[in-house]
Each structure stands twice: as structure tokens, then as C-alpha cells.
Amino acid sequence: MKIAVCGAGGMGSYFGGLLAQTGHEVAFIARGAQLQALRENGLKVSSVHGDFDIPHVFATDDPLEFGPTDLTICTVKTYDIDVIADRMRPLIGPQTALLPLQNGVETPDRLAQHFGPAVLGGAVWVVAAVAEPGVIHQQSQFRRIVFGELDGRDTSRLHTIHEALANSGATVEITGDIRKVLWTKLLF
């Protein structure tokens, strides 16, 4: 799959690294020192599940350089969604699935205002942080993603994404009620 991670901080770089390690074409959309380190040194991950290095990654601050994807994972903070939406537009083509992974309950709906049916709902449980630019420290036994269509349908794209994420080592679950998952996660 052709995958972009928009917001290549701790969580985005960790999951993007797992996907790149299993052979997917991954672009890390980053900025500042993180972008520079990824370009110059690649990605280094220290994890309770096993350390790994990817010496050469595609990292950019211009999504137009990568173009439309099969999957774009959005890990930017919820309050930046409206700001980043126009910058993400080159990543979203007619077949793109856009999967937000953060704690914001309203994020999928805000993204859907910009990208319509491309948007899925997603929730994530992981502890990962940028230890230093280009170096991610992942320290939780859990690395779980739950996602689904916003309207509850079971679609083929869900299963394609599930397979890619599960093969990367993450614990992954498709749900028909992602909104309930998001609200439950927020409350507990």
C-alpha cells in the first residue's frame, strides 16, 4: 500500500515505521527538526516489542511530493485539523482512506467536512514519543488500533487496512460502532 503519515511525531512515526518495515511505501509528513533528522538519518525506534532502524525513509513537509495514497493516517492534534486540511489535500485521491488516530472525538467529523467519505473513525492506544528528532521511544505493551466506517458499514477497504496494520504487529480491530468506541475512550 501507498501510505502517508501526516503528523510524524511519536505515534505517527512509530506506526509508520512498523508499516514501512513490512514493505509498504510510507511517506512521513513532518516539519522542523524531526523532518531534518528523518531525511538525514532515517527512523530509529526503541520499543518494548523490539528495536528497529529504517536508514532511509521518505520524509517531506510537502504532501504534493508524494501524491494520492491508498491510506493516509492523520495523527496531528485535533485543534490543528482545520489548519492542516488544505495541506493534506494532495494525499487524498478518489480511492484514499483517511484514518485519524488521536484522542479527539470530533476529529473524524471535522475531517469529513473537508474530505467526505474518505474519512474513517479511529482510536489508538499506545505510548510512543519522540526521544530526539528521528528517534522514537515506544514503551507500552499495548499498541492497539480500533477503526471503522463512520456510518457503521463493513467495507472491503476496512479489511485491506486491517491486514496491513495487523501484519505490522499492531493489535487491530474493526468495529461497526466507532463513535461509541471514541466516546468510551474519551470517558475512561
Side-chain angles (χ1 to χ4, degrees):
M1 291 179 77
K2 185 177 180 184
I3 301 168
V5 176
C6 189
M11 179 177 43
S13 292
Y14 178 66
F15 285 114
L18 289 176
L19 288 161
Q21 198 179 24
T22 57
H24 296 282
E25 180 185 3
V26 178
F28 296 85
I29 312 301
R31 60 185 177 169
Q34 180 76 347
L35 173 61
Q36 183 178 348
L38 289 170
R39 283 179 169 166
E40 293 175 3
N41 306 314
L43 176 67
K44 295 177 182 14
V45 175
S46 166
S47 172
V48 298
H49 300 283
D51 301 345
F52 63 90
D53 292 348
I54 304 174
H56 303 286
V57 298
F58 183 85
T60 184
D61 58 356
D62 182 3
L64 194 56
E65 291 180 4
F66 196 60
T69 65
D70 300 310
L71 173 64
T72 293
I73 298 171
C74 178
T75 61
V76 300
K77 303 291 187 214
T78 300
Y79 54 76
D80 284 333
I81 292 298
D82 294 324
V83 173
I84 196 75
D86 283 339
R87 296 217 47 228
M88 286 176 46
R89 197 158 302 284
L91 301 171
I92 311 301
Q95 303 303 316
T96 302
L98 175 53
L99 177 60
L101 293 178
Q102 67 250 123
N103 293 325
V105 174
E106 70 277 3
T107 300
D109 291 324
R110 287 179 63 189
L111 282 169
Q113 290 172 359
H114 298 277
F115 301 108
V119 180
L120 303 169
V124 63
W125 291 260
V126 68
V127 177
V130 177
E132 63 184 78
V135 179
I136 305 305
H137 184 63
Q138 188 278 325
Q139 54 191 346
S140 56
Q141 289 298 322
F142 49 89
R143 50 185 178 170
R144 179 177 178 223
I145 296 172
V146 178
F147 71 105
E149 296 285 353
L150 294 177
D151 62 7
R153 291 177 302 130
D154 183 19
T155 61
S156 61
R157 73 181 184 166
L158 293 177
H159 296 279
T160 300
I161 295 164
H162 180 275
E163 181 179 350
L165 290 168
N167 287 341
S168 77
T171 301
V172 187
E173 179 184 337
I174 296 172
T175 181
D177 196 355
I178 189 60
R179 292 182 189 282
K180 181 178 178 182
V181 171
L182 290 169
W183 277 105
T184 303
K185 186 172 191 291
L186 177 70
L187 295 173
F188 298 99

